[in-house]
Amino acid sequence: MDRNDTANEQVSAARDDAASLVEQGMAHFEGGHYLEALALFQQAVTVAPGYAPAYNGIGRVYYHIGSPEASITAYEQAIACDPQEEAPYVGLAILLFARLGHYEDALAALARGQARHPAAGVFPDLCSTVYLRMERYEEALSSAKLAAELEPTQSSPHVRLAQVYLHLRDYDSASASCSQAESLDPSDAGTYRLRGYIEQRRGRMDAALADLRQSVSLAPSDYEAIGALARLLARLGQTGEATELLRRGRELASQDNEYGQACFEGVCGHSTAALVLLADALDRGQAQAGWARHDPEFEFLRDDPGFEALLSSR
């Protein structure tokens, strides 16, 4: 065996070791043990300095522990190591728009990823949510439609379309998009919850009730679906069940952060409580005002002047 063959074997062995460390790190990451995951990802970088998935893992950890600059650096290192890796572009874009509110930078990151992966639907799908937050609705619609064309078996672009149509108050198109998403993934509780909101806007309370019950059935701990169902039942005069669901939903929501609690109060129609919690959540950086304005969980607050006043002040 010549010297080059030996070197190639050593590089291959190092990458195998790094891959094993990243796999172990992801197990810790998915369990919420971020510091343990970080240590393993960093060890993988030491073993194989050019191993992009290890840097991607570091970026994901720093995102979750609230170190955005370190996360950006890690994602860019992953891209530099292997520009064909799809995940770092996605992670970088999500950090930029969801955590920092840097929408133009996020679009640039997604454009870089799409240039490398023109057939991947994830990039136009994410572009659609960025455009939605920027209130560039035609581009949001076009991007979601492109994502649906590129990934015809994926439901998420149709959910995104429904969100855009809902904001535009095109309830028929929103409902149709949810139905398309349901046909592709009938087990997604979120699709039924979203359509439950849409059907109420269409005045089809029986259909809304069926959707929200299905959502709660599929995701019994989804406090947003529970709260929305409680609100609708109360409107329909079924106060006993509504009261019990409200108690159960609030208990679940109390375990989440202020933004989650604001969403719960929003779907319940409790505008004052929702706005107080939402203001606190925005001040804490738990969400961006651009998303809160279009979050379907606040659909029933959109006509409250206090809602827009709060978001415009941020």
Side-chain angles (χ1 to χ4, degrees):
M1 180 180 297
D2 64 27
R3 190 172 302 172
N4 286 338
D5 289 339
T6 300
N8 288 338
E9 283 191 3
Q10 290 173 342
V11 169
S12 179
R15 289 179 68 84
D16 288 344
D17 290 343
S20 176
L21 289 166
V22 168
E23 184 178 353
Q24 296 173 52
M26 285 307 304
H28 283 290
F29 178 85
E30 290 167 1
H33 306 135
Y34 299 127
L35 296 183
E36 293 88 342
L38 180 61
L40 287 161
F41 295 142
Q42 290 172 330
Q43 187 180 347
V45 168
T46 302
V47 170
Y51 192 56
Y55 287 111
N56 184 67
I58 292 170
R60 294 185 69 180
V61 169
Y62 281 132
Y63 176 96
H64 281 273
I65 65 177
S67 300
E69 293 304 322
S71 182
I72 290 170
T73 298
Y75 282 134
E76 290 290 6
Q77 285 176 312
I79 292 168
C81 288
D82 186 356
Q84 285 300 119
E85 277 283 325
E86 183 178 301
Y89 298 104
V90 172
L92 176 60
I94 292 173
L95 168 66
L96 289 167
F97 75 73
R99 184 60 59 87
L100 300 177
H102 296 170
Y103 300 137
E104 293 290 357
D105 291 340
L107 290 173
L110 292 168
R112 291 164 62 195
Q114 190 162 20
R116 293 281 181 175
H117 301 276
V122 64
F123 297 108
D125 189 22
L126 288 174
C127 280
S128 68
T129 194
V130 178
Y131 285 130
L132 180 60
R133 294 169 191 232
M134 298 172 77
E135 301 182 67
R136 291 162 60 175
Y137 301 116
E138 289 304 317
E139 288 160 297
L141 287 171
S142 296
S143 293
K145 289 176 181 177
L146 175 59
E149 291 173 8
L150 292 172
E151 303 283 357
T153 63
Q154 297 299 310
S155 63
S156 62
H158 299 284
V159 172
R160 199 84 61 220
L161 279 168
Q163 292 171 348
V164 181
Y165 285 129
L166 175 60
H167 191 80
L168 295 175
R169 301 183 188 269
D170 183 350
Y171 304 127
D172 290 345
S173 295
S175 180
S177 294
C178 278
S179 295
Q180 182 63 28
E182 179 200 349
S183 71
L184 293 166
D185 185 3
S187 65
D188 183 7
T191 299
Y192 296 99
R193 185 179 73 233
L194 177 59
R195 195 168 60 188
Y197 305 157
I198 295 164
E199 296 300 344
Q200 288 181 70
R201 285 297 202 181
R202 296 173 85 196
R204 301 180 62 203
M205 299 306 172
D206 288 345
L209 186 61
D211 276 329
L212 291 173
R213 286 198 183 280
Q214 179 67 2
S215 183
V216 173
S217 175
L218 288 169
S221 297
D222 183 345
Y223 56 77
E224 292 161 337
I226 292 170
L229 179 57
R231 174 181 178 273
L232 181 54
L233 286 169
R235 291 183 65 193
L236 297 174
Q238 301 180 41
T239 55
E241 185 181 1
T243 300
E244 174 54 27
L245 284 168
L246 190 63
R247 181 203 61 76
R248 176 178 148 203
R250 181 164 286 116
E251 181 179 337
L252 290 166
S254 69
Q255 301 169 37
D256 206 342
N257 63 16
E258 287 76 11
Y259 188 79
Q261 293 173 46
C263 289
F264 174 75
E265 299 298 343
V267 296
C268 291
H270 302 155
S271 59
T272 300
L275 292 176
V276 169
L277 286 162
L278 180 56
D280 194 7
L282 294 174
D283 289 343
R284 292 171 182 264
Q286 295 172 1
Q288 298 295 322
W291 171 240
R293 180 175 281 107
H294 303 98
D295 190 336
E297 317 312 332
F298 298 123
E299 174 62 24
F300 302 113
L301 295 186
R302 286 178 60 191
D303 299 326
D304 186 324
F307 180 64
E308 182 56 37
L310 170 62
L311 298 180
S312 297
S313 70
R314 294 306 194 272

